[in-house]
Amino acid sequence: MVQAVLVMLAVAFIAFTMFNFVGDPVAIMAGQDLPAEQRVELRKTLGLDDPTPVRFARFVANAAQGQFGLSYRTTEPVGRMILDRLPATLELSLIAVLVALVIGIPMGVFSGLYPHHWISRAMMTVSLIGISLPTFLIGILLILIFAVMLGWLPSFGRGDTVKIGFWTTGFLTVSGWKAIILPSITLGLFQMTLIMRLVRSEMLEVLRTDYIKFARARGLTNRAVHFGHALKNTLVPVITITGLQLGSIIAFAIITETVFSWPGVGLLFLQSVQAVDIPVMAAYLVLIGLLFVLINLIVDVLYFVVDPRLRSQGAKAGAK
Amino acid sequence: MTSPKLLEVRNLRVEFPTRRGTLVAVDDVSLDIAAGEVLGVVGESGAGKSMTGAAIIGLLEPPGRIAAGEIRLEGRRIDNLPYNEMRKIRGRQIGAIFQDPLTSLNPLYKVGDQLIETILTHLPLTQAQARDRAVKLLEDVGIPSASERINHYPHQFSGGMRQRVVIALALAAEPKLIIADEPTTALDVSIQAQIITLLKRLCREHGTAVMLVTHDMGVIAETADRVAVMYAGRIAEIGPVQDVIKRPHHPYTIGLMGAIPTMTHKVERLTQIDGSMPRLNAIPKGCAFNPRCPKAFDRCYRDRPDPMPAGNSLAACWLVEEKAHV
C-alpha cells in the first residue's frame, strides 16, 4: 500500500514537471501583445510565483480531488473532460480483455493438450501474425474488410449511447454493440495471442509435473485432470500477465481509438498532445498511473485467492 | 479355470522410438503377482523397473510404448484397452505411489478434496459419505487429528506426512494392486522405515498386492515375498526373497548381495561389481551382463539366456544350465 502511494506520488511529480518543461503557460495562454504588468498579474493569480514544492503540493492536493485545472484548448475543466470520455475507453478495454481471455485461454489449453494437432500448429502460426502485426494495421485491415468491403459494421464512433448517471454506455443499443466489435478485436488481438501462447507453454509445463501424473494414476477423468488440476495451476502467471496487459490495453487504446475515431480518453490525449494541452496530458498520465496501481493491487489479491501457499506465507508474515 | 494370479505380465517389451533409433527400455519381461503378494523389483537406475510399473498402469510417457507382450489383470487383458477403459482401472483396480511425495499432490487443492475427488470418481458414494471415508483413510495412514487435517493444503504437511496422504490416495478406492515406485527414496531414513511398515500393514489389512519398485535391497528383504532383479531392461533373476538373498544364482545378483553391508559378520571391504550398466543403445550381444560378469564364457557372448529354473527361482544365466548338466 505504501508502495502504491509512492508510485502515485512519483507519477504525479512527473506529470507536474511537464508544466515546467513544456514552456511558460502564461506565454501560451496569453497573446503576444499582453502588457508585462498583466502577465505578472496573471502569473500571480494562477499561483505560478510560489516555490516549486508548494506548487507541487497544491497540484497533488487538487489531483486527489480530481481537479486538474482547465484545458488550455477548450477551457473546460479537465476532470470533466476525462470523466466524460472514460466510459468509452473502459468499455472498449473491458470487451478487448474479455475477447482476449475468452478466446485466448481455450485456444491455449487446446494447443497445450494437443501440441502436435494440426489445429494447434495453425493457431501457433496465426498467433505469430497477431503478435507481429502493428495494431493500427490490423485496425485498418478490419475496417477495409468488414466496414468498407462487406459493409457489415461501422468503421468509426460508438454508435448510439445511453446515459446512466455520469456513465455513457454503448452496451444497451444494437449500434453500440456493432460499433465496439471491430475496435475491441483490434485492441484485444495482441493480448489474445499473448495469452494463448502463455497458457500453452504453462499447460505443457504443468502436464509434465508429478501431480498430474499422479492424478492420472488415481484414475481421474481427463476433464478433471486437464481443467481441474492442470488449468488452475496455469492461472497464476495468466493472472499476472492479464493484469499487466489490462493496464497497457487502457493506456495503448490511444492507437485503436484514433484508427476508429473512438471518443475515448486515448483520442482525447492525442488531440491534447497536438495542441500542447498540458493539463489534460498531466491528468491522463496520473489517471493511467492510478489504473496501473489499482490493477496491480487487484492482481495481488487474486494471487491469494488462487494459490493457498501464498495465503499461509502471508499469514505467517502477518503473525511476525 | 480361473487364474490364481492377480497380475500376469508376459514377454513385455517397452520401446522408445528416438531420432537415433529405437531404445528398448524393457525387454521380454515376464512376471506374476498373486493376490495380496508383495513383489519387490530391484535394479540399478535405468534397469527398466519404473518403466515396467508405468507400462502396467498404462502411463508410459510418450513416445514410450508397449511394443510386444501382454498384461493381464485377473485374466483380463489390460495393455490394449482404450484410454477411458484403462482410466477406470487406474485407481480402482491398480493404484500407484510415486517417488516424490512433495510433488505428487496438487498444491492448489486441499488434501481432503483430492481424496474425495478420487473416491467419488470410483465409488458410488455421496459427498458426505466420501468425506467420512476420506477422514477414515487419513486416520488409517496415521495422520493425527484427521478430521481437521483434511482441510489443510499439501504444503502444510511434512514430507513423511505427505507420503502418507499419497498412500491414502492410492488406497482410496480399495485397489487390488498398488505399484509403489520408489515410495521412500525421497524421504528421511527414519521416515522410510515408518512408511514401509505402514504400507506393509495396510496392504495386509486390505489384502492388496504390491509391486514395490526400489533399489534398496534392505527394503525388499524386509517387505517383499518375492523379488525380481532387473538388469538392462530384462529380468536377471526372480524368486522367493529368501532364496534370492541367501542363494542367488545369477552372477549379477551374487554381486548385488555382496555389496550389501550386514550386521552379522564383519567384512573389510564390500564387494563391488566392476563397470556400469550398458546404455540402452549399446547393449552387448548375448547376455547383457557379459562385460562385467566374472564368470562369463563363450556362450554368454553369443546367445542371450532366458530365465530358467534354478532352485526355487528363475535365473537368466547360462551357468544355471551348465550346472544342471553336470
Side-chain angles (χ1 to χ4, degrees):
Chain A
M1 281 306 283
V2 179
Q3 210 183 353
V5 172
L6 284 178
V7 168
M8 281 318 295
L9 275 179
V11 171
F13 184 72
I14 294 170
F16 169 73
T17 49
M18 280 203 311
F19 286 97
N20 296 325
F21 283 119
V22 195
D24 182 359
V26 174
I28 297 167
M29 285 169 87
Q32 276 188 334
D33 44 352
L34 198 72
E37 306 87 67
Q38 279 187 344
R39 275 173 196 271
V40 175
E41 192 64 26
L42 187 60
R43 194 170 284 276
K44 205 165 259 166
T45 51
L46 288 174
L48 293 171
D49 276 347
D50 297 331
T52 311
V54 174
R55 285 195 291 142
F56 180 56
R58 196 189 295 138
F59 176 79
V60 171
N62 284 337
Q65 296 164 34
Q67 286 169 1
F68 292 90
L70 298 180
S71 159
Y72 292 167
R73 189 163 56 95
T74 61
T75 61
E76 280 177 77
V78 173
R80 241 290 38 94
M81 285 172 76
I82 289 194
L83 208 59
D84 279 347
R85 284 156 174 265
L86 198 57
T89 298
L90 289 184
E91 282 184 0
L92 175 63
S93 308
L94 180 73
I95 296 294
V97 168
L98 284 183
V99 166
L101 288 177
V102 169
I103 302 177
I105 290 182
M107 277 169 68
V109 170
F110 182 87
S111 63
L113 290 178
Y114 310 103
H116 302 297
H117 199 284
W118 67 268
I119 293 178
S120 310
R121 289 174 199 269
M123 285 194 296
M124 289 304 282
T125 315
V126 173
S127 77
L128 269 184
I129 298 173
I131 282 189
S132 48
L133 271 190
T135 315
F136 66 88
L137 190 59
I138 295 170
I140 289 169
L141 282 175
L142 287 178
I143 288 179
L144 183 68
I145 296 171
F146 292 100
V148 178
M149 285 161 65
L150 296 172
W152 290 351
L153 300 164
S155 64
F156 66 90
R158 281 185 84 188
D160 298 326
T161 54
V162 175
K163 207 165 168 67
I164 303 169
F166 75 95
W167 191 277
T168 55
T169 178
F171 289 164
L172 295 175
T173 60
V174 178
S175 68
W177 276 105
K178 270 183 160 179
I180 209 168
I181 294 175
L182 290 185
S184 58
I185 290 177
T186 308
L187 190 56
L189 193 67
F190 176 78
Q191 320 299 334
M192 186 182 91
T193 50
L194 193 75
I195 286 172
M196 179 204 139
R197 284 173 165 264
L198 183 75
V199 171
R200 178 191 134 94
S201 63
E202 286 294 322
M203 274 303 262
L204 287 173
E205 189 80 15
V206 169
L207 286 176
R208 274 200 299 267
T209 56
D210 284 353
Y211 54 82
I212 292 300
K213 204 172 138 198
F214 188 57
R216 287 193 201 284
R218 284 190 275 145
L220 301 184
T221 57
N222 262 345
R223 229 185 71 186
V225 173
H226 294 159
F227 294 99
H229 288 266
L231 187 59
K232 196 172 177 189
N233 274 284
T234 66
L235 282 186
V236 169
V238 172
I239 289 173
T240 319
I241 296 294
T242 310
L244 290 177
Q245 292 301 319
L246 182 63
S248 21
I249 278 186
I250 296 172
F252 299 120
I254 295 175
I255 295 168
T256 309
E257 287 182 6
T258 312
V259 171
F260 289 92
S261 304
W262 188 262
V265 193
L267 191 61
L268 174 70
F269 176 73
L270 216 64
Q271 288 163 350
S272 306
V273 169
Q274 282 163 359
V276 205
D277 195 347
I278 294 169
V280 178
M281 284 154 71
Y284 180 75
L285 195 61
V286 172
L287 176 74
I288 295 298
L290 183 67
L291 281 174
F292 264 92
V293 168
L294 282 181
I295 289 165
N296 274 318
L297 275 178
I298 295 170
V299 165
D300 284 349
V301 172
L302 279 180
Y303 283 166
F304 283 82
V305 176
V306 172
D307 197 333
R309 284 168 293 185
L310 294 172
R311 254 175 266 161
S312 72
Q313 276 167 21
K316 261 181 230 157
K320 265 178 204 168
Chain B
M1 191 192 101
T2 52
S3 165
K5 299 296 182 193
L6 175 67
L7 182 86
E8 290 172 274
V9 177
R10 287 285 162 267
N11 309 101
L12 179 72
R13 182 180 170 93
V14 174
E15 289 183 351
F16 275 78
T18 65
R19 267 179 216 165
R20 279 179 282 162
T22 302
L23 298 181
V24 181
V26 176
D27 189 5
D28 206 16
V29 162
S30 300
L31 51 84
D32 299 321
I33 300 178
E37 182 186 47
V38 179
L39 174 76
V41 179
V42 280
E44 296 169 48
S45 304
K49 348 180 261 298
S50 298
M51 285 299 159
T52 310
I56 291 170
I57 199 164
L59 285 177
L60 282 172
E61 302 221 352
R65 60 190 187 91
I66 297 175
E70 52 181 65
I71 301 167
R72 285 175 187 276
L73 185 74
E74 295 183 311
R76 177 188 179 204
R77 197 158 168 198
I78 59 167
D79 56 294
N80 53 2
L81 286 180
Y83 183 88
N84 212 37
E85 290 295 303
M86 191 59 208
R87 175 188 72 70
K88 286 178 190 154
I89 287 179
R90 283 200 288 269
R92 184 71 186 90
Q93 313 265 6
I94 307 178
I97 300 170
F98 295 128
Q99 183 168 351
D100 194 348
L102 302 182
T103 56
S104 287
L105 299 170
N106 190 329
L108 302 188
Y109 290 95
K110 292 171 184 165
V111 296
D113 291 344
Q114 301 192 39
L115 273 163
I116 292 168
E117 183 185 26
T118 314
I119 294 166
L120 289 179
T121 304
H122 296 293
L123 303 176
L125 296 178
T126 64
Q127 184 79 24
Q129 287 170 321
R131 193 171 186 82
D132 291 343
R133 190 179 162 84
V135 173
K136 198 175 163 303
L137 279 163
L138 286 183
E139 277 167 2
D140 270 359
V141 296
I143 287 178
S145 52
S147 53
E148 195 180 309
R149 296 290 266 169
I150 196 167
N151 289 321
H152 286 185
Y153 288 94
H155 69 269
Q156 292 165 308
F157 289 82
S158 68
M161 282 294 158
R162 270 191 241 186
Q163 193 64 307
R164 287 169 191 261
V165 174
V166 169
I167 291 173
L169 275 165
L171 288 170
E174 297 269 333
K176 302 188 180 85
L177 171 70
I178 284 188
I179 313 268
D181 190 352
E182 312 234 8
T184 57
T185 310
L187 299 174
D188 244 273
V189 182
S190 55
I191 310 289
Q192 283 184 7
Q194 289 177 18
I195 294 293
I196 288 294
T197 316
L198 171 75
L199 192 62
K200 211 175 149 182
R201 174 175 68 80
L202 287 173
C203 290
R204 203 175 47 236
E205 285 172 12
H206 297 251
T208 315
V210 182
M211 177 172 156
L212 181 63
V213 175
T214 177
H215 51 241
D216 188 338
M217 270 316 286
V219 168
I220 296 279
E222 248 174 71
T223 320
D225 303 310
R226 288 192 308 131
V227 58
V229 180
M230 287 191 71
Y231 186 80
R234 314 190 105 217
I235 287 186
E237 186 160 357
I238 181 168
V241 72
Q242 288 310 316
D243 287 271
V244 174
I245 289 175
K246 300 248 174 64
R247 288 175 295 278
H249 295 275
H250 196 289
Y252 178 62
T253 322
I254 296 170
L256 268 189
M257 298 309 148
I260 301 169
T262 54
M263 303 276 275
T264 44
H265 44 273
K266 227 175 158 180
V267 280
E268 279 301 306
R269 271 181 80 93
L270 296 170
T271 49
Q272 70 172 43
I273 308 172
D274 291 325
S276 58
M277 202 173 68
R279 294 226 299 258
L280 288 179
N281 56 5
I283 292 176
K285 196 171 178 294
C287 175
F289 189 57
N290 65 33
R292 302 169 73 186
C293 184
K295 294 174 188 160
F297 57 105
D298 49 351
R299 192 173 183 187
C300 303
Y301 297 95
R302 218 170 47 233
D303 305 321
R304 196 139 78 164
D306 283 321
M308 49 197 102
N312 292 326
S313 318
L314 295 171
C317 181
W318 293 122
L319 285 170
V320 175
E321 203 184 65
E322 292 287 309
K323 274 186 203 145
H325 280 304
V326 172

